[in-house]
Amino acid sequence: MLRLFLNLQCTLFVATLLTLLVTTAGSIYANPLSSPDQLRGSPPITRFVTDLDVSQQNFCVEQDSRHIIYVCNADGVMEFDGERWKLWRLPNREMVRSLAVSKDDTVYVGGYNAFGYLRRDAYGQATFEDISSRFKTQLAGREFADVWQTVITAEGIYFRALHDVFFWDPKTNATAHWHHPGSFGVLFEQRGKTYLQFRGEGFKVRAGQDWTLVPTLAHLKAPIFQVAPLANGNMLAFTSKANSNTGWIMFDGETATPYVVPSALPTTETLAKMKALADGSIAMATSNGRIVIIDSTLKTLRTVDIESGYLAGLASGRDGAIFVISDRALYKIAWPPAWSVVSAESNNIGSLHQVVEWNNKRYALTSSGVFQLRETDGGSAVFTPTAWPSAYDLLGLENSSALLAGTHHVMLIQKNQVKQLSKELIYPRKLQPSQFHVGRVLLGTEHGLAIVDTRKSPITISATLPRDVPVRISHIVELSATEVWVGTTRHGVWRYTLSADGEMKEAARITEADGLLTGLPAEASLAKAKDGAIIASTRAGFFKWNGQKFAPTDVDGLAKLRGIEEAPTLVNAPDGTRWAYSATRVWHEAVAGDWRQVDVLSLRRGGIGEYFFMSDLASGVIDKNTIGFVDSHALLLHHRTAIANATPLKIIKPPSPRVQLRSVTRSFADGKTEFVPITDEAIRTFQAEEFSIRFEFALPEYMTNGARRYQAQLIGHDPMMSDWSALRAFSYSTLAPGRYTLLLRAKDSSGVESEITPFIFEIAPRWYARWWARVIALLCFFAAAWLLILLYAKRRTMLLAKQNIVLEKNVAERTKELADANRRLDMMAHIDGLTGIPNRRRLDEYLPIVWQHSQEQLKPISFLIIDVDHFKQYNDTYGHLAGDELLRTLAERLLPCLRRTEDLLARYGGEEFMVIMPGADCDVALVTAEKMRALIETSSLGITISIGVSCTIANSSQTMTSQLRAADEALYQAKKLGRNRVEVSANATTIKPSHP
C-alpha cells in the first residue's frame, strides 16, 4: 500500500509539472485555428467500399509505388486498384494484422501465426510466400499469434509479435529470432539503427545478433504504441497515459524526453495510428472516426471528420494524400488540400447565397437568415444565427452600419437593429459601392438598377430603370462616373447613362446590332479584361467591347473549354490570375493563356452561384491565396498554399498514376479459363481454336468515383480507337489467325492521359491453313485438273471439236445472260427498293439462321426495332416524296453504327427498321441503340427515333418470335414514355460481355 501510495504521489507530481509546462507554453502552441479569421473547411474525401464477400474487420492500409492499395483484413490481404477489389488469403486462412511495402513493391505480410510476402507472378496474380515456416525449430510448436508490426529496415525485415520478434534478410536469406516473456513494444529504425522496446526493461538497439540496452532509454518501461519520423530526423511517440500532453515523447536518437504538444490534441487513449506525411506533417487516426493532422512544427492542428467508427489504419499515399481504413470503407483525403469544403447541409440554414465580411466578422447570407461564419479548433465551420432576415448581399458603411439586400427590401443594420429602407417590393440582389460617387451604392434588383444615396438622412433609394422590363441584375461594372454596365439573368446586357452627380438618366439594352449574341435565355455576365475592356459571357460565347461594338473573343483559350450554351462567369483574382465558373464547373488560368478545368465534381453540393475573397478580418488585407465559390449547400475554397505555418520542405511531386494492364485471360468453349502472362513484352502465340480473350485494366487514381475514362484499339481487329468510356475491361471473341496489338489509354479526373506498353499476341493458323499446306494443296489441285483436262481433250477432241466450239459459245452467252438476270432478281428479291438495305424477305431468311446458330453455341443475340417518331406527321407536312427521301437518308445514317459484318440492318415495314446483332449482349446492344438514337437526334434530319431492345442467350426454351415480340413491346414502351428514347424489354437476360 505504501508503494502504491508513493507511485500515485509521483504520478500526480509529474502530471502537475507537465501541466504547468503546457500552461507556460500556451502562447507558443496556441492553435491558430481558434481564431475566427481562419476558414479552411474540410479537404476532399473520396470513399470506396469493397464488393468482396469478406469480414467487415480491417486493421491497416498501405500503398505501393504503382499506387495499388493493400488492406489488412480478417480474411487476408485485400488489394484495390481503383476499379476492382481482390482478396489474397494466407494458407492458414487467418487474419492479416500488419503490412509493409518495400521499394521494389514487395508486400510483406504479418498475419496470425504466419508471416511472409506476396509474390507477383507473370500473370499479375499474387501468391503468398511463407517465411514463418523457417522458424519452426525456434518456436518448437509454440504459437506466436498476431504479428502486430512489420518493419522494413536497411538490414532486413522485422516481424514483431507480442513475445517474439522475427528477422529475415531477403538479400542473404539470413534469419534471427528473439523471445521476451515480458512482451515487446514498438520497433523502429532511426539514423541507421534499429530500436526495440523490451517492456519492463526499456529500449534496446540491435547489435549483431543481440540487443543492447540504451541507458538513456532504460526508463521507458511502459508500452510505447506508435512512432513517427519528423523532418529533423527525430521520432515522435505516444503512450497510453490519460492526458495527451503527458503521453508524448520525443526521440533524438540517444535520449527520449517528454514533449508538449498543442492542448487541443486528442488524448493518446483515443489515438489508434500515427503516420508521417510527405509534407512533414503527422497524421493521427482516432478511435472516434477523426483524423488529426499536426504540422511539421507540431504547433498547428487540423481535424477531419471521417465517420463515427474506429479508424484502424493510416497510410501516406504516393501523391501525398492520406489513406484511411475503417471497418466500413477505404477513404482518401487529398493532402495537402488545394481545395476544401465548408458544408452547410447539416446546419439547417437553407440555401447559401453569398459570403461577406463586415465589422471584423464573416457572414453567410442564406435563404433562412444571416449567419456568422467562423471556424473552430478542429477546422469545422460554425454557423451562428443572427437576428437578421434572409439576404442576398450585405455592404458595410462608414458609420458602422450596413445595407442588407433582403428578399424583398433593402434594409439598414445599425446597432444590431434592422430597419426597412425601401417602401415598395424591389427584390434587391446586389450591392456595389460606387467608385466615382462617394456615399452612393449601385443597387441591382430583379427590376433593374437603382441608386442608394447614403449621404442623405434618411437614406434614399431611386426608382429602378428600366421601368417596363423586369430586368434581374447579376453583375455590375462601373466604367466611369457617367457609365455603368450590367449583366442580367434573362435580358442580356444593359448600358446605363448617369448624370455628372450620379443620377440615372437612361438605360439601353445591347442588341445583336451591337455585335452581342445571347442565345436563350439571354443570360449574360460581365467582367473586365486585362486591358480594362468589358467582356460579356453569354450562352452564345464570349464577346469583347471595342468601344463601338462587341466582337467574339476566345478569352485566351477559355472559349474552347466551355460547354454548349454554357456561359461561364469570369473572375479577376487579387493574385493576378483569372478564374471562371458556371453552375457545375470551374476553370483557372494560373499562367496567362493556360486555362484548365478544375475538378470540383466531388466537392459540389449544388449549383455554383457566386464567388468571394477572404481577408484578414483584423487588418482588412485581402488573402490573395484563397478564393471561395458559393454553391447552394457548401462553400468551395481553393488555397494556393495548402498548409499555413508549416516548415518549408522540398517535396518532389511523384508522377501521376498510370493505367495498368491488370490481367489477361482466355476463355474456351468448354468453360475453361487460363491467365496469360503480362509482365514482359514478349509476343504471345496462341493456337487457332475457339476462345475469347479478355483484358482487365485500371488507373489507380482514387480521386472522384467514376471519373476515370478508358479507350482501346485491337489493331488487326478494330479500325480505330474506341470512344472514351468507363468500361474497365474489353473482350474479343472469334478472332481470325493473325497478329494483334492492344493499345490502351486512360484519362484521369484532371484529363491527364497515360497508356500501357502495347500488348502483342498472335493466333497461329491451323496446320491445313499454313502456307506450306496451301502450296501443297494448290499443286495437287493443278495436277488433278491437268490430268482431267488431258483425258477429256483426248476423248472428245476428235468427235466434238466443231460442235463443242459452237456449244461453248452459246453456253457462254446464255450463262452471262442468266447470271445477269439472276443478279437482278436477287437484288429485287432481297434489297429494299427505296432504302437500298435488306428488305423484309431477306430479314425473314436471315433470322432463323442466326437464331439457330446462337442456340447451338449458346451465344447472346440482340434485336433492335427502330421506328421514326411522328412519321405520319412528317409525311403530311412535307409530302410523301420527302418522307421517302427521309427513310433513304435515315438508313444511310444508321448503317455505320453497326459493329461488324454479322450485324444486319433491314427495313421491317413502313417507317420501321430492325437490327439483328448476333453475339451481342445487352450492354453492347444498348450502347449501339443509344448511339443510333443520339446520332439521329443531333443530325440535321429534324426527326427522332424510338428503339426497342430485346437481348437473350438463345436456348431451346425460348422462341425467336417471343424475342421479337419483346423488342416490339419495348418499342411500344419507348413511344409510350415520350419517344426519342431507348427501352429494353423487361425479360432481357443479363449476359457476360463477349466483345468490346
Side-chain angles (χ1 to χ4, degrees):
M1 292 296 294
L2 179 59
R3 179 178 297 177
L4 177 62
F5 176 79
L6 292 176
N7 289 338
L8 179 60
Q9 292 297 320
C10 182
T11 302
L12 291 174
F13 173 77
V14 173
T16 303
L17 178 61
L18 290 175
T19 303
L20 290 173
L21 289 174
V22 172
T23 305
T24 304
S27 60
I28 300 177
Y29 299 117
N31 188 353
L33 299 186
S34 62
S35 168
D37 291 358
Q38 297 286 338
L39 186 62
R40 297 180 302 178
S42 299
I45 302 175
T46 311
R47 185 174 187 263
F48 303 93
V49 178
T50 179
D51 55 1
L52 298 176
D53 185 15
V54 296
S55 169
Q56 295 300 307
Q57 190 174 17
N58 300 313
F59 304 105
C60 71
V61 60
E62 293 291 342
Q63 185 182 37
D64 67 15
S65 66
R66 300 177 305 150
H67 297 256
I68 305 299
I69 295 291
Y70 302 91
V71 175
C72 304
N73 180 264
D75 287 331
V77 179
M78 291 196 299
E79 176 185 299
F80 183 48
D81 60 14
E83 296 290 359
R84 58 185 64 81
W85 292 84
K86 291 183 179 180
L87 176 68
W88 309 115
R89 291 186 181 271
L90 271 60
N92 63 2
R93 319 297 282 182
E94 275 286 3
M95 70 171 63
V96 171
R97 178 68 72 172
S98 60
L99 292 173
V101 181
S102 65
K103 292 181 179 179
D104 63 356
D105 284 337
T106 301
V107 180
Y108 290 94
V109 180
Y112 187 89
N113 283 329
F115 55 86
Y117 62 93
L118 295 180
R119 182 180 61 84
R120 190 79 60 174
D121 60 23
Y123 307 102
Q125 307 305 299
T127 56
F128 179 74
E129 295 291 330
D130 185 60
I131 300 175
S132 55
S133 59
R134 305 175 187 220
F135 298 88
K136 289 183 178 179
T137 302
Q138 294 90 327
L139 293 171
R142 178 174 56 81
E143 293 188 353
F144 55 85
D146 297 88
V147 175
W148 294 94
Q149 197 179 6
T150 300
V151 181
I152 300 173
T153 68
E155 56 197 0
I157 317 299
Y158 289 89
F159 302 91
R160 179 183 67 81
L162 188 60
H163 299 287
D164 298 88
V165 171
F166 306 90
F167 172 80
W168 177 60
D169 185 354
K171 298 178 182 177
T172 64
N173 215 27
T175 61
H177 169 256
W178 300 274
H179 179 73
H180 179 50
S183 74
F184 291 107
V186 70
L187 184 151
F188 62 90
E189 183 183 34
Q190 182 182 21
R191 295 187 174 99
K193 296 180 180 180
T194 303
Y195 293 84
L196 174 62
Q197 186 189 33
F198 288 68
R199 295 185 185 178
E201 298 181 22
F203 273 88
K204 296 183 180 182
V205 65
R206 174 85 182 268
Q209 293 300 310
D210 207 349
W211 297 85
T212 302
L213 183 66
V214 181
T216 54
L217 304 178
H219 64 289
L220 298 175
K221 300 179 180 358
I224 302 293
F225 296 110
Q226 295 283 322
V227 296
L230 301 177
N232 59 7
N234 292 343
M235 305 290 288
L236 183 67
F238 67 80
T239 68
S240 61
K241 293 187 178 181
N243 190 309
S244 65
N245 294 292
T246 62
W248 291 94
I249 298 171
M250 182 73 71
F251 289 93
D252 63 4
E254 293 296 332
T255 61
T257 55
Y259 192 79
V260 180
V261 295
S263 58
L265 193 69
T267 62
T268 56
E269 289 184 334
T270 66
L271 297 180
K273 293 291 174 68
M274 184 166 63
K275 186 74 69 172
L277 305 180
D279 64 353
S281 303
I282 302 293
M284 305 171 194
T286 71
S287 59
N288 57 1
R290 284 187 166 187
I291 295 295
V292 179
I293 304 168
I294 184 169
D295 76 340
S296 58
T297 65
L298 305 183
K299 298 177 182 178
T300 303
L301 295 183
R302 190 163 182 180
T303 302
V304 181
D305 289 325
I306 303 297
E307 61 172 57
S308 60
Y310 183 86
L311 301 182
L314 191 66
S316 178
R318 299 288 172 164
D319 59 354
I322 305 170
F323 285 96
V324 183
I325 192 68
S326 71
D327 289 341
R328 301 178 186 178
L330 169 71
Y331 300 89
K332 179 181 180 180
I333 306 173
W335 194 265
W339 286 90
S340 63
V341 180
V342 177
S343 176
E345 292 178 310
S346 61
N347 290 276
N348 298 321
I349 65 172
S351 298
L352 288 165
H353 293 158
Q354 182 57 288
V355 172
V356 297
E357 296 172 353
W358 171 59
N359 239 8
N360 298 327
K361 294 179 182 178
R362 186 172 290 114
Y363 294 96
L365 313 182
T366 79
S367 61
S368 62
V370 178
F371 294 78
Q372 185 181 347
L373 180 61
R374 60 186 182 86
E375 188 172 276
T376 63
D377 286 353
S380 301
V382 176
F383 292 82
T384 303
T386 68
W388 310 332
S390 169
Y392 287 86
D393 204 353
L394 185 151
L395 177 65
L397 304 178
E398 293 182 353
N399 56 355
S400 298
S401 60
L403 293 177
L404 190 69
T407 304
H408 303 102
H409 296 278
V410 177
M411 288 168 278
L412 177 67
I413 301 175
Q414 199 166 31
K415 296 181 180 180
N416 209 31
Q417 300 297 315
V418 179
K419 176 184 177 182
Q420 179 179 315
L421 295 181
S422 56
K423 297 180 180 180
E424 299 178 353
L425 297 178
I426 60 174
Y427 302 96
R429 296 296 178 258
K430 185 171 290 291
L431 297 165
Q432 183 168 311
S434 173
Q435 303 176 50
F436 303 98
H437 302 282
V438 177
R440 296 214 168 191
V441 176
L442 302 173
L443 173 63
T445 76
E446 292 195 5
H447 297 289
L449 186 68
I451 302 295
V452 181
D453 194 338
T454 64
R455 298 172 300 176
K456 296 180 179 179
S457 182
I459 296 174
T460 61
I461 303 175
S462 72
T464 58
L465 284 181
R467 295 184 176 86
D468 55 344
V469 181
V471 174
R472 177 171 180 169
I473 294 176
S474 58
H475 297 80
I476 302 175
V477 177
E478 190 178 19
L479 291 188
S480 68
T482 59
E483 186 178 4
V484 176
W485 291 61
V486 301
T488 71
T489 57
R490 291 184 178 84
H491 295 86
V493 176
W494 289 70
R495 185 178 184 179
Y496 286 80
T497 303
L498 280 66
S499 65
D501 58 356
E503 299 292 340
M504 285 191 298
K505 297 173 61 178
E506 63 176 351
R509 183 173 180 176
I510 304 299
T511 66
E512 290 189 13
D514 301 302
L516 182 66
L517 306 179
T518 58
L520 294 174
E523 173 188 0
S525 65
L526 296 178
K528 282 189 178 182
K530 296 177 181 178
D531 58 4
I534 288 180
I535 292 182
S537 174
T538 73
R539 293 179 179 271
F542 293 102
F543 300 87
K544 186 175 182 180
W545 181 254
N546 61 14
Q548 301 295 326
K549 296 186 67 175
F550 275 105
T553 178
D554 67 350
V555 194
D556 298 323
L558 177 61
K560 65 181 180 182
L561 301 180
R562 63 185 287 270
I564 298 175
E565 295 189 350
E566 188 173 28
T569 298
L570 281 170
V571 179
N572 296 310
D575 63 358
T577 67
R578 290 191 292 181
W579 293 79
Y581 67 92
S582 66
T584 58
R585 298 200 290 170
V586 174
W587 299 265
H588 186 211
E589 185 194 38
V591 179
D594 185 19
W595 283 99
R596 298 190 181 185
Q597 182 176 335
V598 181
D599 180 24
V600 295
L601 176 63
S602 62
L603 308 179
R604 289 192 296 106
R605 306 293 190 269
I608 301 174
E610 285 289 352
Y611 71 93
F612 64 94
F613 299 108
M614 292 191 296
S615 63
D616 178 81
L617 295 180
S619 64
V621 177
I622 293 180
D623 178 6
K624 294 184 178 181
N625 297 322
T626 304
I627 184 174
F629 294 93
V630 182
D631 78 13
S632 53
H633 298 289
L635 306 178
L636 315 183
L637 306 178
H638 180 271
H639 317 276
R640 190 171 63 176
T641 55
I643 299 180
N645 304 323
T647 302
L649 295 175
K650 184 179 181 181
I651 302 175
I652 301 175
K653 182 176 177 58
S656 300
R658 300 181 60 82
V659 62
Q660 301 173 24
L661 188 61
R662 301 291 289 156
S663 69
V664 179
T665 54
R666 290 203 300 158
S667 299
F668 301 90
D670 59 0
K672 178 184 176 183
T673 299
E674 69 174 20
F675 286 97
V676 177
I678 61 174
T679 57
D680 55 58
E681 299 180 12
I683 300 175
R684 287 82 178 166
T685 301
F686 309 128
Q687 297 301 315
E689 54 186 324
E690 187 172 342
F691 69 86
S692 63
I693 187 167
R694 178 179 175 84
F695 302 93
E696 293 187 349
F697 39 84
L699 177 64
E701 182 193 24
Y702 313 106
M703 288 296 288
T704 306
N705 280 313
R708 297 167 293 281
R709 291 292 180 266
Y710 303 94
Q711 64 172 183
Q713 178 186 12
L714 187 63
I715 298 177
H717 180 272
D718 300 328
M720 63 184 66
M721 273 282 187
S722 65
D723 294 332
W724 289 104
S725 73
L727 292 175
R728 54 184 185 172
F730 290 117
S731 298
Y732 297 87
S733 59
T734 63
L735 293 175
R739 174 174 288 195
Y740 299 89
T741 301
L742 177 72
L743 304 180
L744 175 66
R745 297 175 187 158
K747 183 187 298 183
D748 64 19
S749 57
S750 299
V752 178
E753 295 185 16
S754 61
E755 60 184 23
I756 65 167
T757 301
F759 183 89
I760 306 173
F761 65 95
E762 290 183 341
I763 300 179
R766 302 180 186 272
W767 69 269
Y768 51 79
R770 299 182 182 180
W771 69 269
W772 53 267
R774 292 182 178 181
V775 171
I776 293 175
L778 189 62
L779 291 176
C780 292
F781 172 78
F782 280 123
W786 182 80
L787 288 174
L788 289 175
I789 292 172
L790 182 62
L791 291 175
Y792 182 81
K794 286 183 178 181
R795 188 175 180 182
R796 302 289 295 173
T797 300
M798 297 297 295
L799 300 175
L800 303 173
K802 293 182 179 180
Q803 294 88 340
N804 191 47
I805 293 173
V806 175
L807 182 62
E808 288 180 354
K809 181 177 180 181
N810 292 337
V811 168
E813 292 175 354
R814 295 297 301 274
T815 300
K816 183 176 182 302
E817 294 174 359
L818 184 60
D820 294 339
N822 285 338
R823 282 193 295 271
R824 289 192 296 271
L825 287 173
D826 185 76
M827 182 175 297
M828 294 172 62
H830 294 89
I831 300 300
D832 180 58
L834 175 63
T835 62
I837 63 175
N839 58 12
R840 180 63 178 268
R841 180 175 181 180
R842 173 55 181 157
L843 184 66
D844 292 340
E845 292 177 356
Y846 189 69
L847 271 169
I849 296 174
V850 295
W851 181 261
Q852 181 179 0
H853 180 72
S854 299
Q855 280 185 322
E856 292 172 352
Q857 299 194 3
L858 291 178
K859 288 191 172 181
I861 184 170
S862 297
F863 303 93
L864 279 64
I865 299 182
I866 307 167
D867 185 72
V868 180
D869 297 332
H870 305 298
F871 182 72
K872 183 178 183 306
Q873 180 180 349
Y874 188 96
N875 266 345
D876 294 341
T877 304
Y878 301 101
H880 289 283
L881 291 179
D884 291 346
E885 181 61 26
L886 172 67
L887 294 179
R888 280 193 294 271
T889 307
L890 180 63
E892 294 174 357
R893 298 288 178 91
L894 294 179
L895 275 173
C897 296
L898 302 182
R899 307 169 306 149
R900 49 188 185 183
T901 56
E902 289 86 354
D903 294 350
L904 178 71
L905 171 66
R907 189 175 180 186
Y908 193 47
E911 68 272 21
E912 288 189 346
F913 299 81
M914 179 180 288
V915 178
I916 306 173
M917 303 179 69
D921 58 11
C922 277
D923 291 340
V924 174
L926 287 173
V927 169
T928 303
E930 181 60 23
K931 184 177 181 180
M932 289 179 170
R933 186 204 64 75
L935 177 66
I936 299 307
E937 180 186 24
T938 57
S939 69
S940 58
L941 295 179
I943 55 97
T944 60
I945 60 175
S946 298
I947 304 177
V949 180
S950 171
C951 45
T952 187
I953 297 179
N955 53 56
S956 59
S957 64
Q958 298 174 329
T959 65
M960 178 181 68
T961 304
S962 65
Q963 290 303 309
L964 293 176
R965 187 182 299 112
D968 195 59
E969 291 173 353
L971 173 61
Y972 174 77
Q973 185 68 12
K975 288 186 167 295
K976 182 178 179 182
L977 294 176
R979 294 182 170 85
N980 188 23
R981 60 188 295 123
V982 176
E983 290 292 323
V984 63
S985 66
N987 61 346
T989 304
T990 302
I991 16 179
K992 182 180 181 181
S994 59
H995 55 76

